[in-house]
Amino acid sequence: MVKILNPVTPIKIALILAWAVMVVAVIAFVAFVAGFRFGPETIYNDWLYNGGLVAAGTIALLQAVRTPAMRAIYGLFGLAIMVWAAADIYYWLALSD
């Protein structure tokens, strides 16, 4: 019987997707800051910024599930990022003009 060293799990798939979202968001936001604007500003200032925060929090929380030795550190870090993202999203939806 062949033993698979690194089996593909749903958590690994979710991590890969979260990293992909994060990379796309960072590249697009850096392009926006550098002056390459190819759409309305709300896409960058609201959607990509908040999407990047949610992706970063998701990555940290998924790492907490994957690594038992550092579960508390990754969990608290992920929770802090998610609270930050929730506050930014609340400000964007409820308090901005």
Side-chain angles (χ1 to χ4, degrees):
M1 187 165 120
V2 177
K3 182 178 179 183
I4 298 174
L5 296 177
N6 293 321
V8 177
T9 62
I11 292 176
K12 282 187 179 181
I13 293 170
L15 267 172
I16 291 169
L17 290 175
W19 272 108
V21 168
M22 186 70 173
V23 166
V24 169
V26 167
I27 289 172
F29 195 73
V30 167
F32 169 73
V33 170
F36 298 102
R37 290 174 172 80
F38 45 88
E41 280 192 31
T42 186
I43 291 173
Y44 305 99
N45 290 334
D46 299 330
W47 290 97
L48 284 177
Y49 178 76
N50 293 327
L53 282 177
V54 170
T58 302
I59 290 168
L61 290 174
L62 288 171
Q63 281 296 107
V65 173
R66 280 188 70 204
T67 12
M70 299 186 59
R71 183 164 288 155
I73 295 169
Y74 278 125
L76 289 173
F77 190 62
L79 181 65
I81 294 173
M82 287 302 223
V83 169
W84 177 16
D88 273 351
I89 291 169
Y90 171 75
Y91 179 83
W92 169 44
L93 294 176
L95 302 176
S96 66
D97 293 338

